[in-house]
Amino acid sequence: MQELLIILQDGFEEDNVTVFVNGKQARRDTDLSTNPLLGIAEEVAIELPARGATIGVEVTSRGLAGGVKLSGRPKSLLVSIEDGKLVIREGTGREAFL
C-alpha cells in the first residue's frame, strides 16, 4: 500500500467532501472552508492499492464531482473549485503546508 496526499485548496466554503478510491468511500469531511491566508481547506492522506487507482472527489453540498485515474506513484492531488467547477490535478508532493 502507498499513501496519497490530497490537498483541498481554493474555493471551498462550508462544503461537504467525499473521497473515493476505486469506487469505495475512503473519507468524508463536512463543513470545509478554504483558509484565505493559506489557500487550503484541508489536507488528507488516504491509502492506495499497490497498483493504480481511480480517485473520485464529490463536493455533495454543491453537486460537483470529478475523478482521475492514477498510475505509477503519485505524490499528491490538488483539488479546488474554480468558476463553479471541480478541478483535480496531480501535484509534486511538496505542496503540504500544515
Side-chain angles (χ1 to χ4, degrees):
M1 289 270 191
Q2 59 183 337
E3 193 171 85
L4 174 70
L5 178 66
I6 299 176
I7 303 172
L8 304 174
Q9 297 182 310
D10 295 319
F12 293 91
E13 191 172 318
E14 297 180 6
D15 288 307
N16 301 326
V17 178
T18 306
V19 177
F20 298 89
V21 176
N22 294 334
K24 295 181 182 177
Q25 183 176 320
R27 180 162 177 125
R28 185 171 193 289
D29 292 284
T30 58
D31 296 324
L32 294 179
S33 294
T34 300
N35 179 323
L37 296 176
L38 298 176
I40 286 185
E42 185 70 80
E43 291 183 4
V44 299
I46 58 170
E47 292 290 325
L48 295 178
R51 295 185 182 191
T54 299
I55 306 300
V57 179
E58 289 184 4
V59 183
T60 54
S61 52
R62 295 192 197 202
L64 300 174
V68 62
K69 184 172 178 124
L70 302 176
S71 57
R73 295 189 173 269
K75 302 291 186 196
S76 61
L77 276 186
L78 310 176
V79 181
S80 59
I81 299 172
E82 300 173 12
D83 298 322
K85 296 180 182 176
L86 189 64
V87 178
I88 303 172
R89 59 188 175 272
E90 285 192 48
T92 63
R94 297 184 202 131
E95 299 86 3
F97 293 107
L98 302 175

